[in-house]
Every structure is written in C-alpha cells, then in structure tokens.
Amino acid sequence: MRILSIETSCDETAMALVGASGGLRAPKFKVFKNIVLSQIAVHRPFGGVVPNLAKREHMKNLPKILKALVASGYTLNPDLIAVTVGPGLEPALWQGIEFAKDLAKKLKKPLIGVNHMEGHLYSNILKNIRIEFPAISLVVSGGHTILLKLDSLTKWKKLGETRDDAAGEAYDKVARLLDLPYPGGPEIEKIAKSGYPIVKFPRPMLKDQNYDFSFSGLKTAVLYYVRDNNKTSRADVAASFQQAVVDVLVGKTIRAARVYRAKSILLCGGVSANKYLQKNLKVAASNLGADFHVPAFEFNTDNAAMIATAAYIQHLRKKKLPMLANSNLNL
Ligand code: KG4
Ligand code: ZN
C-alpha cells in the first residue's frame, strides 16, 4: 500500500510518500519521497520553539510541500493518509490534523492518526532490516528519553524514562548556557569534537538499579561550572557534558540489554543523530554480542517517513487513535 504521511508535532513541517508491504511478520518500506521543511531560522531568535509561530509556519508550509510532492511527478493516489496526533505542541499538531482531514476528504481516502513516538520507534525498520528479539530500544528526543524492551514489533514494555529533562532538552539547555544557537544538540556535538572531556560532571542515576533517567541536575552542574570557571574552553565543557550524557545513556541501555538478554539494541529519536552516541552504543552492543541499529541520518530527527511506518503497523493491527491533538500521548 501507498501511505501519504504528515508530521507537524513540533518545528518541522514534513510529508512523505511511502510504499509499505510484507505485513507484520516482514514489513518492508520504500520511501518514494520524504520532504522536511525546517523552521529553525524562525525559532532561533527566541532560543527555542514558539508554539504559535510553529502553527503559522505549518499552515504556510503544508500546501507548499504538497505542491512539491505533486510537482515531483507522484500521482496523489495513496491508499492511506496518516497524520501525527501526539505527543507534541497542541497548536502545531492541530494544523497537521486539520490539513490531513481536508486532504482525506478531497481524495476520498481513509485517514489514520499516529503516535509520534511510535514513529521514532519504527524509524529503524525503514531500513528493511530484520530485528532479532528481544530488543532494547533507547528512544531519545527533545521531549522524551525512554527505554523499552520489545518482544516483537508490536509487544513492548516500558522499562524506564526520564524523571525531568529529556536528553535532547538537556543538550538544548546546555547549548544555551554556552551561547550556542538552537537547536543545541548538533551544535554541542560539533564543538565537542575539538574539546576534551576534562571536567568530571555527574552521571545522574547511572548506578541506580532502575531504568529511569534524570538530566536536570547535570544541566545545573554545567551552569555552576561555567559560572565559576571561565578559563575552561566551551569545547571542553561541551565534550565533558556530552561524555556524561553518553555514559548514562549507554550504561543504562547496556544494563537493560544484559538483564533481558537482548539480541538487538535499537537507537532512535532526534538525539540518535549524534555520532558520538551512535559510536559508543555500537561498540558496547558489539561487546555484548547484540546487533545495533540506528536509522539513516534523515530519519533520526522529525520526519514523516517514520510516521508512515507507524501508520502501516497500526493499520495492520487495526488500532485506532482519535483524530484529536493529544500533547501527552506516550508509548
Ligand atoms: O526527535 P526530534 O527531532 O524532535 C522531538 O521529537 O523532540 O528531536 C529533537 C532533539 C533536539 O533536542 C535536538 O537538540 C536533538 O534532538 N538533536 C541532537 C542532535 N541532533 C538533534 N542531540 C545531540 N546530537 C545531535 N547531533
Ligand atoms: Zn520527534
């Protein structure tokens, strides 16, 4: 089937046209078109995403992307239209939902609501890989940090999540402390490359016998350090902060993988774009004898292709989500 998917939960307006086949046992995908219009330039002066500006930009961008899709030669004849209904910024979500409802009506096609986090979770199967179960998935984005144990593509248990800031949020807040622009994740990664992790920041909850996370104390530690040590370079602070985050994310994921005898480890969400995290988790997984998977770069941060994968799985499971923006939807 051909799925036309729409994503507007935060500051990326995205649409994709994806072919899906194979059913739940062996789902296969072909991304025909994956368009993302980033709003970074609009939000950057404010140091973060402004919900009503995001809504306005989505309103402007959605018809533009649809036009571009048609102009690229694809006939708009999907079997299913999918749209993110949560979690995310409510005004931003509504813009996508209303647009999708209109389009479904015009094209007389069925419409399905999708959980953005399931999109991230399934972004790994866009590569048409075979995942060995049980698997441990580390979902790290701007709003969430979640550790899951999966027994199959559709059966999972949440092992733990962040008690305060998400990993991406911590990157963004620390970037602001270092006068780096929004979004901070890629900026920290970039300058950390020329720094050394010489500052011993805390590794919050690393030793706790649970799978929860906490990053707000680490952010505060960086705040005090920067205030009191103006001789340390930003690159060294960034490298030290990144090392602390990666140590915690990798440490907890590997412990879960060991305890649950995971055959694979799946990394996803915006922070999964981070090459240093990818490298460290890959090495740790290999030492454990587990497969390691991470989506291709264009599918790490928010995109609509991943929404199509979740829509396909959901459609096969005959699972229905109400066509209402739900900012608190979770996994
Ligand atoms: O998944 P995503 O695009 O949006 C949400 O669902 O939240 O994730 C965005 C988050 C931001 O906090 C951003 O700073 C972070 O992902 N991020 C990164 C990198 N690229 C994006 N964090 C660390 N390193 C990166 N290279
Ligand atoms: Zn996301």
Coordinates of all heavy atoms in Angstrom, one line a residue, residues 244-300:
A244 N 29.2 12.8 29.7 CA 28.4 12.4 30.8 C 27.0 11.9 30.3 O 26.6 10.8 30.8 CB 28.2 13.6 31.7
V245 N 26.4 12.5 29.4 CA 25.1 12.1 28.8 C 25.3 10.7 28.2 O 24.5 9.8 28.4 CB 24.6 13.1 27.8 CG1 23.3 12.6 27.1 CG2 24.3 14.4 28.4
V246 N 26.3 10.6 27.3 CA 26.5 9.3 26.6 C 26.8 8.2 27.6 O 26.3 7.1 27.4 CB 27.6 9.5 25.5 CG1 28.0 8.2 24.9 CG2 27.1 10.4 24.4
D247 N 27.6 8.4 28.6 CA 27.9 7.4 29.6 C 26.6 6.9 30.2 O 26.5 5.7 30.4 CB 28.8 7.9 30.7 CG 30.3 8.0 30.3 OD1 30.6 7.5 29.2 OD2 31.1 8.6 31.0
V248 N 25.7 7.8 30.6 CA 24.5 7.4 31.2 C 23.6 6.6 30.2 O 23.1 5.5 30.6 CB 23.7 8.6 31.8 CG1 22.4 8.2 32.3 CG2 24.5 9.3 32.9
L249 N 23.4 7.2 29.1 CA 22.5 6.6 28.1 C 23.0 5.2 27.7 O 22.3 4.2 27.7 CB 22.4 7.4 26.8 CG 21.7 8.8 27.0 CD1 21.7 9.6 25.7 CD2 20.2 8.6 27.4
V250 N 24.3 5.1 27.5 CA 24.9 3.8 27.1 C 24.9 2.8 28.3 O 24.5 1.6 28.1 CB 26.3 4.0 26.5 CG1 27.0 2.6 26.3 CG2 26.3 4.7 25.2
G251 N 25.3 3.3 29.4 CA 25.3 2.4 30.6 C 24.0 1.8 30.9 O 23.9 0.6 31.2
K252 N 23.0 2.6 30.9 CA 21.6 2.1 31.3 C 21.1 1.2 30.2 O 20.4 0.1 30.5 CB 20.7 3.2 31.5 CG 21.0 4.0 32.8 CD 19.8 4.2 33.6 CE 20.2 4.2 35.1 NZ 19.1 4.5 36.0
T253 N 21.3 1.5 28.9 CA 20.8 0.7 27.8 C 21.5 -0.7 27.9 O 20.9 -1.7 27.7 CB 21.1 1.4 26.5 OG1 20.5 2.7 26.5 CG2 20.5 0.6 25.3
I254 N 22.8 -0.7 28.1 CA 23.6 -1.9 28.1 C 23.2 -2.8 29.3 O 23.0 -4.0 29.2 CB 25.1 -1.7 28.1 CG1 25.5 -1.1 26.7 CG2 25.9 -2.9 28.4 CD1 25.2 -1.9 25.5
R255 N 22.9 -2.2 30.4 CA 22.5 -3.0 31.6 C 21.1 -3.6 31.3 O 21.0 -4.8 31.6 CB 22.4 -2.1 32.9 CG 22.2 -3.0 34.1 CD 22.5 -2.2 35.4 NE 21.7 -1.1 35.6 CZ 20.4 -1.2 36.1 NH1 19.9 -2.4 36.4 NH2 19.7 -0.2 36.3
A256 N 20.2 -2.9 30.7 CA 18.9 -3.5 30.3 C 19.1 -4.6 29.3 O 18.5 -5.7 29.4 CB 18.0 -2.4 29.7
A257 N 20.0 -4.4 28.3 CA 20.3 -5.4 27.3 C 20.8 -6.7 28.0 O 20.5 -7.8 27.6 CB 21.2 -4.9 26.3
R258 N 21.7 -6.5 29.0 CA 22.3 -7.7 29.6 C 21.2 -8.4 30.4 O 21.1 -9.6 30.3 CB 23.4 -7.2 30.5 CG 24.3 -8.3 31.0 CD 25.5 -7.8 31.8 NE 26.5 -7.2 30.9 CZ 27.1 -6.0 31.1 NH1 26.7 -5.2 32.1 NH2 28.0 -5.5 30.3
V259 N 20.5 -7.7 31.2 CA 19.5 -8.3 32.1 C 18.4 -9.0 31.3 O 18.0 -10.1 31.6 CB 18.8 -7.2 33.0 CG1 17.6 -7.7 33.7 CG2 19.8 -6.6 34.0
Y260 N 18.0 -8.4 30.2 CA 16.9 -9.0 29.4 C 17.4 -9.9 28.2 O 16.7 -10.3 27.3 CB 15.9 -8.0 28.9 CG 15.2 -7.3 30.0 CD1 15.5 -6.1 30.6 CD2 14.1 -8.0 30.6 CE1 14.8 -5.6 31.6 CE2 13.4 -7.5 31.6 CZ 13.8 -6.3 32.2 OH 13.1 -5.7 33.2
R261 N 18.7 -10.1 28.2 CA 19.4 -10.9 27.2 C 18.9 -10.5 25.8 O 18.5 -11.3 24.9 CB 19.0 -12.4 27.4 CG 19.5 -13.0 28.7 CD 19.2 -14.4 28.9 NE 19.4 -14.8 30.2 CZ 20.5 -15.1 30.8 NH1 21.6 -15.0 30.1 NH2 20.6 -15.5 32.1
A262 N 19.1 -9.2 25.5 CA 18.6 -8.7 24.3 C 19.5 -9.1 23.1 O 20.8 -9.2 23.3 CB 18.7 -7.1 24.3
K263 N 18.9 -9.4 22.0 CA 19.7 -9.8 20.8 C 19.9 -8.6 19.9 O 20.8 -8.6 19.1 CB 18.9 -10.8 20.0 CG 18.7 -12.2 20.8 CD 18.3 -13.2 19.8 CE 18.2 -14.6 20.5 NZ 17.0 -15.3 20.2
S264 N 19.2 -7.5 20.2 CA 19.5 -6.3 19.4 C 19.2 -5.0 20.3 O 18.4 -5.1 21.2 CB 18.8 -6.2 18.1 OG 17.6 -7.0 18.1
I265 N 19.9 -4.0 19.9 CA 19.7 -2.7 20.5 C 19.3 -1.7 19.4 O 20.0 -1.6 18.4 CB 21.0 -2.2 21.3 CG1 21.2 -3.2 22.5 CG2 20.9 -0.8 21.7 CD1 22.5 -2.9 23.2
L266 N 18.2 -1.0 19.7 CA 17.7 0.0 18.7 C 17.8 1.4 19.2 O 17.2 1.7 20.3 CB 16.2 -0.3 18.3 CG 15.8 -1.8 18.1 CD1 14.3 -1.9 18.0 CD2 16.5 -2.3 16.8
L267 N 18.4 2.3 18.5 CA 18.5 3.7 18.9 C 17.7 4.5 18.0 O 17.7 4.3 16.8 CB 20.0 4.1 18.8 CG 20.4 5.5 19.1 CD1 20.0 5.9 20.6 CD2 21.9 5.8 18.9
C268 N 16.9 5.4 18.6 CA 16.1 6.3 17.7 C 15.7 7.6 18.4 O 16.0 7.8 19.6 CB 14.8 5.6 17.3 SG 13.8 5.1 18.7
G269 N 15.1 8.5 17.7 CA 14.8 9.9 18.2 C 15.8 10.9 17.8 O 16.9 10.5 17.4
G270 N 15.5 12.2 17.9 CA 16.4 13.2 17.4 C 17.9 13.1 17.9 O 18.8 13.3 17.1
V271 N 18.1 12.7 19.1 CA 19.4 12.6 19.7 C 20.2 11.5 19.0 O 21.5 11.4 19.1 CB 19.4 12.5 21.2 CG1 20.8 12.5 21.8 CG2 18.6 13.7 21.8
S272 N 19.5 10.5 18.4 CA 20.2 9.4 17.8 C 21.0 9.9 16.5 O 21.7 9.1 16.0 CB 19.2 8.3 17.3 OG 18.4 8.7 16.2
A273 N 20.8 11.2 16.2 CA 21.6 11.7 15.1 C 23.1 11.9 15.6 O 24.0 12.1 14.8 CB 21.1 13.1 14.6
N274 N 23.3 11.9 16.9 CA 24.6 12.1 17.5 C 25.6 11.0 17.2 O 25.4 9.8 17.7 CB 24.4 12.3 19.0 CG 25.7 12.8 19.6 OD1 26.6 12.1 19.8 ND2 25.7 14.1 20.0
K275 N 26.6 11.3 16.4 CA 27.5 10.2 16.0 C 28.3 9.6 17.2 O 28.7 8.5 17.2 CB 28.5 10.8 15.0 CG 27.9 11.1 13.6 CD 27.7 9.8 12.8 CE 27.1 10.1 11.4 NZ 25.7 10.5 11.4
Y276 N 28.6 10.5 18.2 CA 29.4 10.0 19.3 C 28.6 9.0 20.1 O 29.1 8.0 20.6 CB 29.8 11.2 20.2 CG 30.8 10.9 21.2 CD1 32.1 10.5 20.9 CD2 30.5 10.9 22.6 CE1 33.0 10.2 21.8 CE2 31.4 10.5 23.6 CZ 32.7 10.2 23.2 OH 33.6 9.8 24.1
L277 N 27.3 9.3 20.3 CA 26.4 8.3 21.0 C 26.3 7.1 20.2 O 26.4 5.9 20.7 CB 25.0 9.0 21.2 CG 23.9 8.1 21.7 CD1 24.2 7.5 23.1 CD2 22.5 8.8 21.8
Q278 N 26.1 7.2 18.8 CA 26.0 6.0 18.0 C 27.2 5.1 18.1 O 27.1 3.9 18.3 CB 25.9 6.5 16.5 CG 24.6 7.1 16.1 CD 24.5 7.4 14.6 OE1 25.4 7.0 13.8 NE2 23.6 8.2 14.2
K279 N 28.4 5.8 18.1 CA 29.6 5.0 18.1 C 29.8 4.3 19.4 O 30.1 3.1 19.4 CB 30.8 6.0 17.9 CG 32.1 5.3 17.5 CD 33.2 6.3 17.2 CE 33.9 6.8 18.4 NZ 34.8 7.9 18.2
N280 N 29.5 5.0 20.5 CA 29.7 4.3 21.8 C 28.7 3.2 22.1 O 29.0 2.2 22.6 CB 29.6 5.4 22.9 CG 30.8 6.2 23.1 OD1 31.7 5.8 23.9 ND2 31.0 7.2 22.3
L281 N 27.5 3.4 21.6 CA 26.4 2.4 21.8 C 26.7 1.2 20.9 O 26.5 0.0 21.3 CB 25.0 2.9 21.6 CG 23.9 2.1 22.1 CD1 24.0 1.7 23.6 CD2 22.5 2.9 22.0
K282 N 27.2 1.5 19.7 CA 27.5 0.4 18.8 C 28.6 -0.5 19.3 O 28.5 -1.8 19.3 CB 28.0 1.0 17.5 CG 28.1 0.0 16.3 CD 28.5 0.7 15.1 CE 28.8 -0.4 14.0 NZ 29.2 0.2 12.7
V283 N 29.7 0.1 19.9 CA 30.8 -0.7 20.4 C 30.3 -1.5 21.6 O 30.6 -2.7 21.7 CB 32.0 0.3 20.9 CG1 33.0 -0.5 21.7 CG2 32.6 0.9 19.6
A284 N 29.5 -0.9 22.5 CA 29.0 -1.6 23.7 C 28.1 -2.7 23.3 O 28.2 -3.8 23.9 CB 28.3 -0.6 24.6
A285 N 27.3 -2.5 22.3 CA 26.4 -3.6 21.8 C 27.2 -4.7 21.3 O 26.9 -5.9 21.5 CB 25.4 -3.1 20.8
S286 N 28.2 -4.4 20.5 CA 29.1 -5.4 19.9 C 29.8 -6.2 21.0 O 29.9 -7.5 20.9 CB 30.0 -4.7 18.9 OG 31.2 -5.5 18.8
N287 N 30.3 -5.6 22.0 CA 30.9 -6.3 23.1 C 30.0 -7.3 23.8 O 30.4 -8.3 24.4 CB 31.4 -5.3 24.2 CG 32.6 -4.5 23.7 OD1 33.3 -4.9 22.7 ND2 32.9 -3.4 24.3
L288 N 28.7 -7.0 23.7 CA 27.7 -7.8 24.3 C 27.2 -8.9 23.4 O 26.5 -9.8 23.7 CB 26.5 -6.9 24.7 CG 25.6 -7.3 25.8 CD1 26.3 -7.3 27.2 CD2 24.4 -6.3 25.9
G289 N 27.6 -8.8 22.1 CA 27.2 -9.7 21.1 C 25.8 -9.4 20.6 O 25.1 -10.3 20.0
A290 N 25.3 -8.2 20.8 CA 24.0 -7.8 20.3 C 24.1 -7.0 19.0 O 25.1 -6.3 18.8 CB 23.2 -7.0 21.3
D291 N 23.1 -7.1 18.1 CA 23.0 -6.3 16.9 C 22.8 -4.8 17.3 O 22.1 -4.6 18.4 CB 21.9 -6.7 16.0 CG 22.1 -8.1 15.4 OD1 23.2 -8.6 15.5 OD2 21.1 -8.7 15.0
F292 N 23.2 -3.9 16.5 CA 22.9 -2.5 16.8 C 22.3 -1.8 15.6 O 22.8 -2.0 14.5 CB 24.2 -1.7 17.2 CG 24.0 -0.2 17.3 CD1 23.3 0.3 18.4 CD2 24.5 0.6 16.4 CE1 23.1 1.6 18.5 CE2 24.3 2.0 16.5 CZ 23.6 2.5 17.6
H293 N 21.2 -1.1 15.8 CA 20.5 -0.5 14.7 C 20.2 1.0 15.0 O 19.8 1.3 16.1 CB 19.2 -1.1 14.3 CG 19.3 -2.6 14.0 ND1 20.0 -3.0 12.8 CD2 18.9 -3.7 14.6 CE1 19.9 -4.3 12.8 NE2 19.3 -4.8 13.9
V294 N 20.5 1.8 14.0 CA 20.1 3.3 14.1 C 19.6 3.7 12.8 O 20.1 3.2 11.7 CB 21.3 4.1 14.7 CG1 22.4 4.1 13.7 CG2 20.8 5.5 15.0
P295 N 18.6 4.5 12.7 CA 18.1 4.9 11.3 C 19.1 5.8 10.6 O 20.0 6.3 11.2 CB 16.8 5.8 11.7 CG 16.5 5.5 13.1 CD 17.8 5.1 13.8
A296 N 18.9 5.8 9.3 CA 19.8 6.7 8.5 C 19.6 8.2 8.9 O 18.5 8.5 9.5 CB 19.4 6.6 7.0
F297 N 20.6 9.0 8.7 CA 20.6 10.4 9.3 C 19.3 11.1 9.0 O 18.7 11.8 10.0 CB 21.7 11.2 8.7 CG 21.9 12.5 9.2 CD1 22.3 12.7 10.5 CD2 21.5 13.7 8.5 CE1 22.4 14.0 11.1 CE2 21.6 14.9 9.0 CZ 22.1 15.1 10.3
E298 N 18.7 11.1 7.8 CA 17.5 11.9 7.6 C 16.3 11.4 8.3 O 15.3 12.1 8.4 CB 17.2 11.9 6.1 CG 16.9 10.5 5.5 CD 16.7 10.5 4.0 OE1 16.0 11.4 3.5 OE2 17.2 9.6 3.3
F299 N 16.4 10.2 9.0 CA 15.2 9.7 9.7 C 15.4 9.7 11.2 O 14.7 9.2 12.0 CB 14.9 8.3 9.3 CG 14.6 8.2 7.8 CD1 15.3 7.3 7.0 CD2 13.7 9.0 7.2 CE1 15.1 7.2 5.6 CE2 13.5 8.9 5.8 CZ 14.2 8.0 5.0
N300 N 16.5 10.4 11.7 CA 16.8 10.5 13.1 C 15.9 11.6 13.7 O 15.1 11.3 14.7 CB 18.3 10.9 13.4 CG 19.2 9.8 13.0 OD1 20.3 10.1 12.5 ND2 18.9 8.6 13.3

